[in-house]
Amino acid sequence: MRQFWVSVHRYAGLSMTVFLVIAGLTGSVLVFREELDAILNPELYQVSPPSREAELLDPLAIRRQLLDTYPQLHINWITLQPRPDHALNIRVQPPEENTDLDFDEVFVNPYTGEVLGTRMWGRISDGKENLIPFLYKLHYQLALGQFGTLLMGVIALIWTLDCFIGAYLTLPNRARATSRARSFSDKLKNQWRRWKPAWKVRWRRSSYKLNFDLHRAGGLWIWAMLFVLAWSSVAFNLGQVYRPAMGLAFEFQDVRRDFSPPEQPKTSPAISYAEARAVALNYLDGNEQHLTDQPVRQLDYTGMSYFPQFGVYHYRFRSERDVDEDWGRTRMYIDGNSGEVIALYLPTGAASGDTLTTWLITLHMAGVWGLPFKIFVSVSGILLVMLSVTGVVIWQRKRSARLRSGRRPTGGASKTKPSRA
């Protein structure tokens, strides 16, 4: 049975190698994606106040100004928390009848509303200005669109299962390890004594043993992080598998059950973005938390958008229910006609499945514990590449050994020494 799982681990690893190398290398860089993007494109990101007394403009006023300049655009998502030294990044899209728009991202000076630049996110032919967005697309979908997203989701699912197979294969043979043990504690001690070498690297042994130890011990030392990266990747790319699987044991909030979608998408809501924001702030400041058992406090703004297919505004902010230090995932939904708050999504504390998913996603994105954890996640990406490469080397060496063994003469001929000239 163990040999069967060895074969499964071997061929699962070989099938994933290229994908995990790409994901590991790009992921180790994308941990610092915002900082690197700003360094590569200072003309798009860097701003300074025109005077000491200058104040940041209301992002919704910038939205209106931008629509006046580009009336053919749709601007659904708008960030509500501009930074004093950072351009306001706004994602846009053309109307369906206008597909010739050459950009989908606009960078605006938050003090003046001036457009600093535009780009088509992820188009690598534009050069360094799209290097980080292209790496992002390469990371989660191999820059292959929806097919790539699905493919990487399948790979992540195989990777998740293989995490457990790989960990199992590092365990010693239980029968041999415990055959002389008399009590349960003795069995545990014997088991650990035999398993302990799997956590060590024999640095001064042969290259084969060093490669094998790096593969085995490296996988054990960062196993928990590898599992987090793998299963959260399934959550990102293969929700049709992740959600039902997690739903077997955990509960999830379903805010959309409170929506009453119109028969046709409602592109022009009765209330404006500013009015919807006022509804959200009044709801939060007025402590009218009738949708939750406990009050929810807003710590920081995040942004808002409008969903015409549901006729609702989506107001997003960071609350005490968030774990991400920079990005709020608490969401409020407001009816675009009546202005009524119809649903509230809490990232933690409301449903166990959402709490676990929030932590998985936040750990994947290195959104907690500051710079030390970002460095750890980045190093984990590099170690993932190392594990993939060492796994291929192990397979190649064993395959070469089997081929050499198959070419050796058998029977009596194997004992005949070749004559020397």
Side-chain angles (χ1 to χ4, degrees), residues 106-357:
V106 182
F107 296 84
V108 181
N109 188 318
Y111 294 99
T112 65
E114 173 193 3
V115 175
L116 301 177
T118 62
R119 72 180 176 187
M120 184 65 74
W121 191 83
R123 188 170 61 188
I124 190 57
S125 60
D126 292 341
K128 68 179 181 65
E129 74 177 39
N130 257 319
L131 177 60
I132 299 302
F134 175 75
L135 290 179
Y136 197 99
K137 293 178 71 174
L138 192 65
H139 178 73
Y140 82 94
Q141 61 171 208
L142 302 174
L144 295 176
Q146 188 59 38
F147 170 76
T149 300
L150 179 61
L151 177 60
M152 290 299 278
V154 172
I155 293 298
L157 183 59
I158 297 172
W159 181 19
T160 301
L161 299 174
D162 194 48
C163 282
F164 292 96
I165 296 173
Y168 162 73
L169 293 176
T170 67
L171 296 173
N173 185 295
R174 182 171 297 180
R176 290 167 51 194
T178 60
S179 58
R180 298 181 181 180
R182 296 180 179 178
S183 65
F184 180 73
S185 60
D186 287 339
K187 291 180 179 181
L188 288 179
K189 290 178 181 179
N190 281 336
Q191 191 76 359
W192 169 245
R193 177 178 57 82
R194 294 181 59 83
W195 193 31
K196 189 175 181 180
W199 294 75
K200 298 179 179 180
V201 178
R202 295 166 290 185
W203 297 101
R204 297 183 180 182
R205 296 296 183 92
S206 66
S207 61
Y208 175 81
K209 290 182 179 179
L210 175 60
N211 184 84
F212 181 82
D213 287 352
L214 288 173
H215 184 78
R216 182 176 60 176
L220 283 173
W221 280 106
I222 62 168
W223 187 92
M225 193 65 217
L226 292 176
F227 172 73
V228 166
L229 294 174
W231 190 229
S232 59
S233 296
V234 177
F236 280 122
N237 287 43
L238 210 61
Q240 60 268 44
V241 172
Y242 175 85
R243 185 85 175 218
M246 292 287 284
L248 295 174
F250 305 102
E251 295 181 352
F252 285 88
Q253 299 166 85
D254 185 10
V255 295
R256 292 191 179 185
R257 68 185 175 188
D258 298 320
F259 295 177
S260 298
E263 294 182 1
Q264 297 292 332
K266 192 172 182 59
T267 57
S268 300
I271 64 173
S272 66
Y273 267 77
E275 290 171 326
R277 180 179 60 181
V279 168
L281 294 178
N282 180 66
Y283 181 92
L284 294 169
D285 294 341
N287 199 29
E288 302 172 0
Q289 311 300 333
H290 59 276
L291 294 179
T292 58
D293 296 333
Q294 297 179 355
V296 178
R297 293 185 302 108
Q298 176 172 273
L299 304 179
D300 283 312
Y301 293 102
T302 297
M304 62 185 301
S305 60
Y306 175 71
F307 297 152
Q309 68 272 31
F310 297 111
V312 300
Y313 280 97
H314 163 214
Y315 180 82
R316 190 163 175 168
F317 59 100
R318 192 168 74 89
S319 72
E320 70 275 13
R321 300 293 187 94
D322 279 285
V323 295
D324 196 303
E325 296 172 351
D326 301 314
W327 186 252
R329 299 185 185 276
T330 308
R331 302 195 290 268
M332 182 186 297
Y333 297 92
I334 303 165
D335 190 287
N337 287 328
S338 66
E340 177 188 0
V341 177
I342 56 178
L344 189 64
Y345 171 87
L346 302 177
T348 64
S352 56
D354 292 311
T355 299
L356 287 172
T357 301

Side-chain angles (χ1 to χ4, degrees), residues 364-406:
H364 187 121
M365 304 290 286
V368 288
W369 306 323
L371 180 60
F373 189 68
K374 285 191 173 186
I375 294 174
F376 173 72
V377 174
S378 182
V379 171
S380 296
I382 296 172
L383 290 177
L384 174 60
V385 176
M386 182 270 292
L387 293 174
S388 301
V389 173
T390 53
V392 172
V393 172
I394 292 171
W395 168 78
Q396 181 61 43
R397 290 189 175 183
K398 289 187 175 181
R399 179 175 179 272
S400 298
R402 287 195 299 270
L403 291 176
R404 287 195 302 269
S405 176

Side-chain angles (χ1 to χ4, degrees), residues 25-36:
L25 289 176
T26 54
S28 65
V29 174
L30 291 173
V31 170
F32 305 100
R33 59 192 177 281
E34 294 183 2
E35 297 87 345
L36 292 174

